[in-house]
Amino acid sequence: MPRLPRLLFLVLLAVSGCGSLRGCGASEETLDPAASAPDASTPSVATPPPEARYSRSWLVIIHSSATPGEGTGALEALKKTGLPAEPDRLSSNAFRNLRPCLEVVVAKAFTDKAGAEEYRKQLSEAGLEAYVKNAGPLDPDREEKAATCLSEAQAAAARAEAREQGAVPRFVEVHDGRTFMLLGAAEDQTGLSPVDERRSLWMAPVEADPTGFFTKGDDVDLYGAAGPVQAGCKVSGFARINRGRPHFGYFQQQPPPDAPGCGRAWTFAELDCAMTPSDVVFALPAGTKAPVFYAAGNEASPEVLAAQEDALRRSAGFATLLAEGRLRAEQVQEELNEDVRGFGFSSDGRHVVFMMVRLITGEGNAECGGDYNEQLTRAVVVGPGGEERVLSVKDLDGGRVAGVMDLEGDGQVELLLHDSWPAQTARVIREDGSEVAGAVVENCDCGC
C-alpha cells in the first residue's frame, strides 16, 4: 500500500478528531459491555463535540497553521513564561468566527474579552506574542468545512505527485522584483534569511533542482490566461522560498522574528525574464507543444445562454441552494438577492459557456459576518454543430475562472483558476476537476 503524502496524512489525522494536545495516542480503558449498554428507559442525547466548551469563548491564540501539529516552539515558549495556561489545539472549522482549514494553538480561553486581552498582555511582556479572537458559536456546517479542507489537502497531494512529472505546467511568481518558477515543496526548512525589511519573504539559495528536471541554462516558455507571454526564459538558479502570509501580530514583534511566520519553504527555479507580479502565468519546458487557448468573450448565441440558464435553474443543485438561501434569509430577516450571469470562451467555433448564479443576503459578508453568500456554476462545451458536453467538475466557482485552454490538443478543455482568498491560489484543472498543476501561498492571517 503506497504511503500517504505527509500533508494528506496530517489533515486526515486532524479530521479524525486527534486535534487535542491530550487526545492522540492515549490507550483507552476497556469497558464492561454490560456497563456501557444504554438504558432503554433513558432517551438518547447527542454528545456535543469536544470543541463545544470553547463556543463563544475569547481565545488567546499563540499559533495558527494549515498544517496540524505545528506550533511546538510556541508551546515551549508558553511553558517558559510560567504563566497559568490551558493549552489546546483546535480545528478552526468548528467555529463560525474563525477562518476554516487552520489548526489554532490556544494558550487559554476566557469568557470575557477583557480577561483575554489582559492575559495576552502578560504573555507579550513575557516575550510571547499572541492575539485574541472570539470563536463565535459552533458552526453547523463544520463537517462540510472539514470535508472541503480534506479535499484541498488531497489536491495539494495531487499537485506534489504531478510535479514529479517533467512537462507539466509550473506556476511563475515574482518576489522582490525577481521571477521564479515553482518546482515543489522543499524538504529543508532551515537556513532561510529575510529578504525584505518586513520579513514577509524568506529565501535561501540552492545549488541544483532537487526534482532533477531542470538545470541552469534550460529554456522555458511562459503562458498566461490569454496565450503566450514570453518564450525562451532561461533558468538562472534555484532557491528555497517561504512566502506565506503571517498573522498581522507577527509584524509587531520586538525584536523582529528570526524565522518565517507562516507556511513552509518551497523550491523554485529563478528565471532571467521580467514579469508583472499580478499576472497569472505558468511555464512549460521549451519545445513543448503550445496549448490551444480559448479567447475570452461570449460569442455564444442568446438562445444558447438562455438554454444554459434554464438548465441551471432546473438542476437539483440550484433547488438545494435556493431552499438554503431562503431559510437563511428568513432567519436573519433579510431579502435574498439573486445575481445571474453568463460568460464564455471561444476557439474555432467551439464555446465553453459558464452560467453562474449567486444568492446573497445583506452585503454578502459571509467570511467575517453572518450574511449568506453562495454560488452555483454550470459549465458546458458547445460544439460547432450545437452538441453539448457538460463539465463534470464539482463545486466549480465561476468567479475563479481566469482562462480556458486545451493543454494537450486532445479536444478536452482545462480551466485556469485563480483566487486570492482565503489563500492566494492558482490551479489548472481538467473537465472532471482533477488537478494538473497548482500553487498556493499559505495565509495564516485571520482577515477579519
Side-chain angles (χ1 to χ4, degrees):
M1 180 176 179
R3 293 182 61 188
L4 287 173
R6 179 176 182 271
L7 176 59
L8 178 56
F9 172 78
L10 290 172
V11 173
L12 287 170
L13 181 64
V15 172
S16 70
C18 290
S20 169
L21 292 175
R22 301 176 294 274
C24 293
S27 60
E28 297 184 0
E29 181 182 0
T30 303
L31 300 178
D32 181 356
S36 61
D39 185 348
S41 64
T42 304
S44 61
V45 178
T47 303
E51 299 90 352
R53 68 190 186 97
Y54 293 102
S55 176
R56 304 184 188 278
S57 295
W58 291 92
L59 308 178
V60 181
I61 300 173
I62 57 175
H63 182 82
S64 61
S65 173
T67 304
E70 294 186 345
T72 302
L75 287 168
E76 292 175 350
L78 175 63
K79 187 176 181 179
K80 291 178 180 179
T81 66
L83 293 170
E86 298 173 4
D88 208 349
R89 295 183 185 270
L90 302 176
S91 169
S92 63
N93 297 326
F95 305 100
R96 180 76 59 81
N97 289 3
L98 301 185
R99 187 165 70 82
C101 301
L102 291 178
E103 181 185 73
V104 294
V105 180
V106 177
K108 199 173 182 180
F110 293 81
T111 58
D112 63 303
K113 184 177 182 180
E117 287 290 355
E118 176 60 27
Y119 185 73
R120 181 201 61 78
K121 182 179 178 181
Q122 293 174 15
L123 289 177
S124 179
E125 292 172 348
L128 178 58
E129 294 301 320
Y131 63 97
V132 173
K133 186 75 175 176
N134 185 269
L138 285 178
D139 196 325
D141 299 328
R142 56 187 178 275
E143 293 184 0
E144 289 81 356
K145 289 161 66 177
T148 299
C149 296
L150 178 59
S151 176
E152 291 175 355
Q154 290 172 331
R159 282 197 294 271
E161 183 178 349
R163 290 192 190 98
E164 295 181 0
Q165 307 173 30
V168 297
R170 298 172 187 272
F171 282 99
V172 177
E173 304 173 2
V174 175
H175 299 294
D176 195 40
R178 299 154 63 185
T179 304
F180 294 90
M181 175 178 65
L182 178 63
L183 298 177
E187 293 295 330
D188 187 2
Q189 301 292 310
T190 63
L192 300 174
S193 299
V195 175
D196 58 337
E197 185 176 351
R198 296 183 71 239
R199 297 181 174 238
S200 59
L201 182 70
W202 295 70
M203 190 180 305
V206 178
E207 285 299 319
D209 174 11
T211 68
F213 289 118
F214 295 93
T215 58
K216 293 180 181 180
D218 285 350
D219 289 339
V220 296
D221 299 329
L222 305 187
Y223 300 89
V229 172
Q230 190 169 343
C233 294
K234 289 188 178 297
V235 174
S236 59
F238 302 94
R240 290 182 290 114
I241 302 176
N242 181 305
R243 74 271 202 254
R245 179 182 176 185
H247 184 267
F248 65 84
Y250 172 85
F251 301 108
Q252 300 170 351
Q253 295 183 32
Q254 290 298 330
D258 58 2
C262 179
R264 61 172 300 156
W266 298 81
T267 304
F268 289 82
E270 185 167 5
L271 306 179
D272 67 353
C273 49
M275 194 185 78
T276 304
S278 60
D279 291 343
V280 183
V281 173
F282 63 88
L284 289 172
T288 305
K289 184 179 179 181
V292 175
F293 288 88
Y294 284 63
N298 210 344
E299 298 179 6
S301 67
E303 292 77 15
V304 168
L305 294 176
Q308 295 309 316
E309 180 176 349
D310 180 64
L312 177 68
R313 292 184 178 278
R314 287 189 288 104
S315 67
F318 179 77
T320 300
L321 190 71
L322 185 61
E324 183 182 87
R326 286 172 173 171
L327 177 61
R328 185 68 62 87
E330 183 179 350
Q331 291 173 340
V332 299
Q333 296 297 298
E334 291 273 3
E335 181 179 351
L336 182 65
N337 298 306
E338 179 182 297
D339 177 41
V340 180
R341 71 183 185 98
F343 61 98
F345 299 78
S346 302
S347 175
D348 292 333
R350 301 178 77 214
H351 312 291
V352 183
V353 180
F354 298 87
M355 190 59 60
M356 177 180 178
V357 61
R358 185 172 293 278
L359 301 180
I360 300 173
T361 63
E363 297 179 351
N365 187 357
E367 292 290 344
C368 304
D371 295 334
Y372 185 78
N373 187 341
E374 297 292 339
Q375 67 83 40
L376 180 68
T377 299
R378 173 185 167 88
V380 59
V381 179
V382 183
E387 64 277 10
E388 295 184 359
R389 183 176 72 252
V390 179
L391 273 60
S392 58
V393 53
K394 295 181 180 179
D395 302 322
L396 176 65
D397 186 342
R400 298 176 180 175
V401 177
V404 176
M405 68 189 112
D406 181 351
L407 194 60
E408 289 102 356
D410 57 359
Q412 301 290 304
V413 298
E414 282 77 32
L415 307 182
L416 176 62
L417 308 180
H418 181 248
D419 198 13
S420 58
W421 180 258
Q424 182 176 314
T425 60
R427 303 172 64 207
V428 176
I429 64 170
R430 301 193 190 279
E431 294 187 8
D432 62 359
S434 59
E435 189 169 276
V436 180
V440 58
V441 178
E442 301 96 331
N443 180 12
C444 300
D445 198 8
C446 62
C448 299

